Amino acid sequence: MMTETETLDLLIVGAGPAGLAASCAAQDAGLTHVVVEREGPTQSLVGHPQQIRYFSPADELAIGGVPFFMAGGYRPTREDALAYYRAVAGSRKLPLATWEEVTDVRRDTLDAPFVVRSTRRSAADGQVVERRARFLLVCTGTFPNPRRLNVPGGDLPNVLTRLDDPTPFFGRKVLVIGGGNSAATGAMTLAEAGAQVTLAMRRPPVDFQNHLRPFIVRDLKIMADEKRLTLRTGVHVAGVTPTSVDLACVPGEEGGHCETLPNDFVFALIGHTADRTLFAHLGVPLAKDGLPNYDEKTSESCIPGLYLAGSLSRANIILESRQRAVEIVAHVAARLA
């Protein structure tokens, strides 16, 4: 085991947009810190469809005071965003420890620093690194832990929880489930790639419902009106078979009716949950939605000195997650001062 002797001011777990924004803020505040990431930077974005344009404009994705310009004011693609975040991390020389997975966190007393152990997953595979830090910020995201469809047939191989590339679904009958930006964007991406798409939502799409951005609602309604996809509201999935899907009415919602649709694939884009293993090590309980509890004013968990940002803090768009991360670093800097 390799032990780093310096006690850091802050250790950040997760190098997504929130973690990188926190690292920039910590660097600006003069805090000693390291960002530990189990894969590469912005890994959740790497897993997005290659053709996707993000529903957040470029200025909402920008971090660290580094402008993110897009020609013509277009929304960034996955490739645009990945190139931008790599450029920020490289130009600012952020202290990233990539391909290390945090496996244990402990602290002897409330006054003692956190002791964080991580296991290297690269060339020095299996080597354990131990670091100490006065404060801990966890913004690992939830992308690796998608929620599953809990209905008969929900575990069939044609029920998917992630859209990597829409091309294989050209010409196929596809049902997309979900009421947020990711589901709406996924449905439109599949439809544009030639899939026969039905989007099932519990409620009709409304601006800022489940963080639905207004232009997402606009584009979705246009595609539905032009019959480039089918929009079903007031329904939920009751069951799945290899060749069909059953939709049932949502009590209290208008417009829904029960029906069975011929179907090839189901995309259950219904959100994500926290890594239970990590939070069991941390001793942080999870709420009913599968995310940890925290103080909404400070983003500090029930463990003093342990903060939460990113999608773990229920920030469903990058603008909110990076703002929260920067606010946490300012709070930590004030406590250290």
Side-chain angles (χ1 to χ4, degrees), residues 47-181:
H48 289 167
Q50 295 181 11
Q51 297 92 334
I52 196 170
R53 281 193 181 274
Y54 288 111
F55 41 77
S56 296
D59 61 335
E60 292 187 5
L61 302 181
I63 61 172
V66 180
F68 187 176
F69 295 115
M70 286 293 299
Y74 292 109
R75 298 196 303 276
T77 64
R78 166 186 175 273
E79 285 68 30
D80 295 326
L82 291 174
Y84 170 78
Y85 288 122
R86 289 196 304 268
V88 173
S91 63
R92 295 201 50 153
K93 296 181 173 59
L94 300 179
L96 305 182
T98 58
W99 292 95
E100 287 188 25
E101 183 170 8
V102 173
T103 54
D104 187 45
V105 180
R106 58 183 172 82
R107 184 168 57 176
D108 295 333
T109 67
L110 291 179
D111 296 329
F114 291 97
V115 179
V116 181
R117 288 184 178 179
S118 58
T119 302
R120 288 185 169 166
R121 307 173 64 237
S122 55
D125 191 36
Q127 183 183 40
V128 176
V129 183
E130 185 175 275
R131 299 180 178 89
R132 285 173 166 75
R134 296 178 180 86
F135 292 91
L136 187 62
L137 170 56
V138 180
C139 39
T140 53
T142 57
F143 192 72
N145 303 290
R147 291 193 178 100
R148 303 290 173 175
L149 190 58
N150 186 23
V151 299
D155 56 352
L156 288 172
N158 63 326
V159 179
L160 309 173
T161 57
R162 185 169 298 154
L163 174 60
D164 295 322
D165 191 309
T167 306
F169 306 97
F170 173 84
R172 310 309 300 186
K173 295 180 176 65
V174 178
L175 178 78
V176 178
I177 311 162
N181 289 304

Side-chain angles (χ1 to χ4, degrees), residues 46-334:
V46 173
H48 289 167
Q50 295 181 11
Q51 297 92 334
I52 196 170
R53 281 193 181 274
Y54 288 111
F55 41 77
S56 296
D59 61 335
E60 292 187 5
L61 302 181
I63 61 172
V66 180
F68 187 176
F69 295 115
M70 286 293 299
Y74 292 109
R75 298 196 303 276
T77 64
R78 166 186 175 273
E79 285 68 30
D80 295 326
L82 291 174
Y84 170 78
Y85 288 122
R86 289 196 304 268
V88 173
S91 63
R92 295 201 50 153
K93 296 181 173 59
L94 300 179
L96 305 182
T98 58
W99 292 95
E100 287 188 25
E101 183 170 8
V102 173
T103 54
D104 187 45
V105 180
R106 58 183 172 82
R107 184 168 57 176
D108 295 333
T109 67
L110 291 179
D111 296 329
F114 291 97
V115 179
V116 181
R117 288 184 178 179
S118 58
T119 302
R120 288 185 169 166
R121 307 173 64 237
S122 55
D125 191 36
Q127 183 183 40
V128 176
V129 183
E130 185 175 275
R131 299 180 178 89
R132 285 173 166 75
R134 296 178 180 86
F135 292 91
L136 187 62
L137 170 56
V138 180
C139 39
T140 53
T142 57
F143 192 72
N145 303 290
R147 291 193 178 100
R148 303 290 173 175
L149 190 58
N150 186 23
V151 299
D155 56 352
L156 288 172
N158 63 326
V159 179
L160 309 173
T161 57
R162 185 169 298 154
L163 174 60
D164 295 322
D165 191 309
T167 306
F169 306 97
F170 173 84
R172 310 309 300 186
K173 295 180 176 65
V174 178
L175 178 78
V176 178
I177 311 162
N181 289 304
S182 295
T185 303
M188 290 188 287
T189 301
L190 284 159
E192 288 169 349
Q196 301 174 44
V197 177
T198 298
L199 173 60
M201 309 178 77
R202 287 179 172 269
R203 292 176 290 176
V206 177
D207 293 356
F208 301 113
Q209 165 198 296
N210 288 344
H211 291 264
L212 278 174
R213 307 302 293 269
F215 46 83
I216 296 291
V217 174
R218 177 201 65 201
D219 293 350
L220 182 61
K221 289 180 176 178
I222 290 173
M223 291 191 73
D225 289 343
E226 294 178 349
K227 301 189 184 308
R228 288 189 283 161
L229 60 77
T230 301
L231 179 62
R232 290 281 190 268
T233 62
V235 297
H236 66 90
V237 174
V240 180
T241 76
T243 58
S244 67
V245 61
D246 295 326
L247 298 181
C249 301
V250 175
E253 295 290 342
E254 297 181 0
H257 61 277
C258 299
E259 59 181 323
T260 297
L261 301 176
N263 192 73
D264 298 313
F265 296 95
V266 174
F267 280 91
L269 305 182
I270 52 178
H272 302 76
T273 60
D275 183 344
R276 292 182 178 275
T277 303
L278 175 61
F279 285 96
H281 282 298
L282 295 169
V284 178
L286 302 183
K288 290 183 179 180
D289 63 359
L291 299 177
N293 291 313
Y294 58 91
D295 186 310
E296 293 189 2
K297 291 184 179 180
T298 65
S299 297
E300 190 172 16
S301 73
C302 61
I303 308 298
L306 169 61
Y307 292 83
L308 304 166
S311 53
L312 289 175
S313 62
R314 299 170 179 81
N316 292 326
I317 59 175
I318 293 178
L319 173 63
E320 291 180 358
S321 64
R322 67 171 175 80
Q323 286 179 335
R324 188 180 293 266
V326 171
E327 290 169 358
I328 290 170
V329 173
H331 189 73
V332 168

